[in-house]
Amino acid sequence: MLPAAVRKEYTIAVLPGDGIGPEVTAVALRVLRAVAKAHNFGLVLIEYAVGGEALDRYDEPLPKETLRACKAADAVLLGAIGGPRWDHETGARRCETALLGLRKSLDVYANLRPVQVFEGLADRSPLGMDRVSGADILLVRELTGGIYFGTPRGQKAVGGLRTGTNTMTYREDEVARIARTAFTWARRRRSRVTSVDKANVLEVSQLWRTVVAEVHAAEFPELALDHLYVDNAAMQLILRPRAFDVILTGNLFGDILSDLAATLPGSLGLLPSASVGASVGLFEPVHGSAPDLAGQGRANPMGAVLSAAMMLESLGEGVAAQRIRNGVAACLQEGVATADLGGTASTSTVGEAIIAFTAGLTTAKSQ
Ligand code: IPM
Ligand code: MG
């Protein structure tokens, strides 16, 4: 018998990268293959080099072939980039440049970082169960502008003294489009946006605040909007995490607040992210390459697996994405977890458990 034709086929550029990236990506790919089969869609998963690995093999952290493949794909799934072996590199040879170049080239200006405290895991948070249980935040970080990309930048001698410069700059259209992303997500969630800036000091933040308020008044007046200074937001995030729904912020503040928010579920290893905006989305766990853990089979693959779920969601495979999320939740409920969450399971054991729970849920649903 001929195999049944798949409903749809997606081409995914897979960039495992460095450190624990390849280990957690391998698990995400296994989970993806399992749900694709169960939900009758096809996945063409092709791996490309990026970061330190690409520097070693091709002498550049973002090879042209990798970038071409990413642009031509339906989505990009990335593991992690960088490590101590390449830390001495400078300028365009730094691994981080590859990630920033990829974000800019794909024009993925909206970085979505959901932070949820899973049932049964609240006791993992250093902040204590009472404070974090039930917290459910979507951090919307502007990703292709701000101080990460502003010019002038660089180091030079000024009056005989070495001087470093970066520029935080936002144009009104950049603020308006990321504000729309945040408001649109808030509509699907609990209808509240908290915009985070430093408008008491920075002109760029004053413009940010004005434009966010204008977009709100003109297009989303039914939603609640408040504004916080970033220093206060950091404190409130820890003191009252349940008060937040969608947090809207710029590139640098979003980078900092997303690591801070990881203290809520208790491990950075759980957090996924989606970077979207133009046609091709970039999906990656928040945790980074964690070189001290690499190669030991101890890394938590859940951030990568949940990033793969966000990828399926954005491709229109929402049911399959939900299956994956349910599988991860079931896994956590049963205590199948890596050491960062207090468990003893290996990376691949967690992967197998997620697949088993995902398959079980599929069977239960289809009976
Ligand atoms: C992140 C990371 C990156 C960033 C680094 C690796 C360039 O910290 O995705 O949060 O600063 O954006
Ligand atoms: Mg970061």
Side-chain angles (χ1 to χ4, degrees), residues 127 131 137 139-140 193-200 205 208-209 226-250 252-264:
L127 302 174
R131 189 164 296 171
I137 299 169
L139 195 111
V140 177
V193 171
T194 304
S195 175
V196 174
D197 59 41
K198 189 68 185 168
N200 51 343
S205 282
W208 177 280
R209 195 175 274 222
D226 50 9
H227 305 270
L228 288 182
Y229 299 138
V230 61
D231 47 352
N232 185 24
M235 185 170 72
Q236 298 303 329
L237 198 53
I238 300 302
L239 290 180
R240 305 182 296 124
R242 277 188 296 269
F244 293 94
D245 177 14
V246 173
I247 296 178
L248 161 65
T249 192
L252 180 63
F253 300 155
D255 178 47
I256 298 166
L257 291 182
S258 59
D259 271 33
L260 186 65
T263 57
L264 302 175

Side-chain angles (χ1 to χ4, degrees), residues 157-350:
V158 178
L161 296 174
R162 289 172 300 161
T163 305
T165 302
N166 287 92
T167 303
M168 193 188 282
T169 177
Y170 272 117
R171 274 194 334 254
E172 60 177 323
D173 57 329
E174 292 176 300
V175 181
R177 65 180 183 173
I178 192 70
R180 278 186 196 105
T181 305
F183 288 125
T184 304
W185 276 97
R187 242 182 207 158
R188 294 179 217 154
R189 291 171 49 97
R190 302 193 308 281
S191 301
R192 167 172 296 277
V193 171
T194 304
S195 175
V196 174
D197 59 41
K198 189 68 185 168
N200 51 343
V201 178
L202 306 175
E203 284 81 359
V204 57
S205 282
Q206 289 154 13
L207 176 75
W208 177 280
R209 195 175 274 222
T210 304
V211 174
V212 169
E214 285 168 2
V215 171
H216 173 245
E219 299 171 40
F220 305 89
E222 78 282 10
L223 303 179
L225 168 68
D226 50 9
H227 305 270
L228 288 182
Y229 299 138
V230 61
D231 47 352
N232 185 24
M235 185 170 72
Q236 298 303 329
L237 198 53
I238 300 302
L239 290 180
R240 305 182 296 124
R242 277 188 296 269
F244 293 94
D245 177 14
V246 173
I247 296 178
L248 161 65
T249 192
N251 208 341
L252 180 63
F253 300 155
D255 178 47
I256 298 166
L257 291 182
S258 59
D259 271 33
L260 186 65
T263 57
L264 302 175
S267 172
L268 202 53
L270 271 173
L271 299 191
S273 83
S275 304
V276 295
S279 55
V280 184
L282 168 65
F283 301 84
E284 53 173 316
V286 175
H287 52 60
S289 63
D292 49 323
L293 269 186
Q296 302 170 32
R298 290 165 57 211
N300 187 350
M302 288 173 171
V305 170
L306 292 170
S307 300
M310 292 186 88
M311 179 180 86
L312 291 185
E313 182 98 53
S314 89
L315 291 171
E317 298 292 345
V319 182
Q322 191 54 45
R323 286 275 153 76
I324 295 181
R325 284 193 286 266
N326 291 346
V328 171
C331 203
L332 289 169
Q333 233 146 34
E334 296 302 315
V336 186
T338 41
D340 55 313
L341 294 172
T344 54
S346 69
T347 308
S348 58
T349 304
V350 171

Side-chain angles (χ1 to χ4, degrees), residues 81 95-97 99-100 103 111 113 141 143 148 251 254-256 258-259 273 284-286 288:
I81 282 181
C95 294
E96 287 79 4
T97 316
L99 191 53
L100 300 185
R103 289 171 177 172
N111 182 220
R113 297 187 162 180
R141 167 189 176 194
L143 201 62
Y148 274 53
N251 208 341
D255 178 47
I256 298 166
S258 59
D259 271 33
S273 83
E284 53 173 316
V286 175

Side-chain angles (χ1 to χ4, degrees), residues 44-66:
V44 181
L45 303 163
I46 308 175
E47 298 195 11
Y48 297 91
V50 75
E53 187 220 356
L55 204 52
D56 289 349
R57 279 168 56 193
Y58 304 100
D59 210 35
E60 50 181 348
L62 182 58
K64 283 174 200 63
E65 195 204 343
T66 301

Side-chain angles (χ1 to χ4, degrees), residues 21-95:
E23 302 162 49
V24 296
T25 305
V27 170
L29 294 185
R30 285 208 289 280
V31 174
L32 277 173
R33 285 196 190 95
V35 294
K37 201 162 166 215
H39 288 264
N40 194 32
F41 58 86
L43 287 173
V44 181
L45 303 163
I46 308 175
E47 298 195 11
Y48 297 91
V50 75
E53 187 220 356
L55 204 52
D56 289 349
R57 279 168 56 193
Y58 304 100
D59 210 35
E60 50 181 348
L62 182 58
K64 283 174 200 63
E65 195 204 343
T66 301
L67 186 56
R68 221 181 353 252
C70 290
K71 284 182 168 168
D74 292 306
V76 180
L77 186 67
L78 188 137
I81 282 181
R85 203 145 67 78
W86 306 285
D87 267 351
H88 62 278
E89 301 286 356
T90 54
R93 289 178 62 83
R94 280 198 70 79
C95 294

